[in-house]
Structure formats: structure tokens, C-alpha cells
Amino acid sequence: KRSLFDKIPVPAIESDDTNSNDKLELPQFALSVQCGGGTYIRSLVRDIGYELDTVATMTGLVRTKQGPFVLEDALRKEDWTADTIYEAIRKSQERQIGV
């Protein structure tokens, strides 16, 4: 059987085997992925199912980082004001330059 991985270039993906959030309780499993832009996690899950000669689908996805922004600094919609948004941007910029 020919793999989808043979046809499509797969972007580099890092996995931290020590992450306690990863769970393997078949037929369900959880995983953490650190990847660059252009990685489609739903396609990755589909391809995992294909490689296992079965099907796979996602039941949830939590994006913990996007560019300089991290989930811990996310604002609830009801807290959106110009001041809180500018403060969140400032914090992410400081994190980038290591202040």
C-alpha cells in the first residue's frame, strides 16, 4: 500500500514525549504538536488513521500559540477594550525580545 506521506511533503513537526497531556487510550488519543505555519493538524490526524489502515477524526483542537501570542495571555471577549488589547500586544512584544 502506498502512503499519503509518499505523495505529500510533510512539514517538520516536533513532539515532546514527556508532555503529560498526551494520552493514548485507544481508540481515542490526544497529542501535542509544535509546528510551523502551513501545518494542517486535521490532515495530520487523517494521515495517522490512513497509516494505521483505519480512519481518524478530530474531536477537539486547542491552539496554544499563534505567532507571538500565547493562550495564557488571551482575553475573554467581554474584556476587549483598546487598553487591554494594547497591553496584551505589549506583553507579547516584551516576551519576544526577552524583557
Side-chain angles (χ1 to χ4, degrees):
K1 168 173 99 170
R2 193 168 164 119
S3 166
L4 286 178
F5 293 111
D6 295 336
K7 301 174 189 173
I8 303 169
V10 178
I13 297 173
E14 297 177 22
S15 175
D16 180 358
D17 293 337
T18 63
N19 189 332
S20 62
N21 293 328
D22 292 356
K23 296 177 185 161
L24 182 60
E25 297 174 10
L26 296 177
Q28 297 182 354
F29 64 93
L31 64 128
S32 300
V33 176
Q34 182 177 355
C35 59
T39 302
Y40 295 93
I41 301 303
R42 287 173 185 83
S43 297
L44 174 65
V45 170
R46 178 205 60 214
D47 293 348
I48 289 170
Y50 183 84
E51 287 297 310
L52 296 173
D53 202 25
T54 187
V55 295
T57 189
M58 289 178 46
T59 58
L61 174 66
V62 176
R63 186 178 302 245
T64 59
K65 184 173 189 254
Q66 176 63 45
F69 302 102
V70 293
L71 185 60
E72 294 81 30
D73 294 339
L75 300 172
R76 296 177 312 176
K77 189 173 183 179
E78 57 268 16
D79 295 333
W80 289 357
T81 66
D83 289 338
T84 59
I85 292 170
Y86 288 134
E87 178 63 18
I89 292 170
R90 185 191 62 73
K91 283 174 66 177
S92 68
Q93 289 173 333
E94 287 178 356
R95 184 179 300 106
Q96 277 186 307
I97 59 174
V99 173

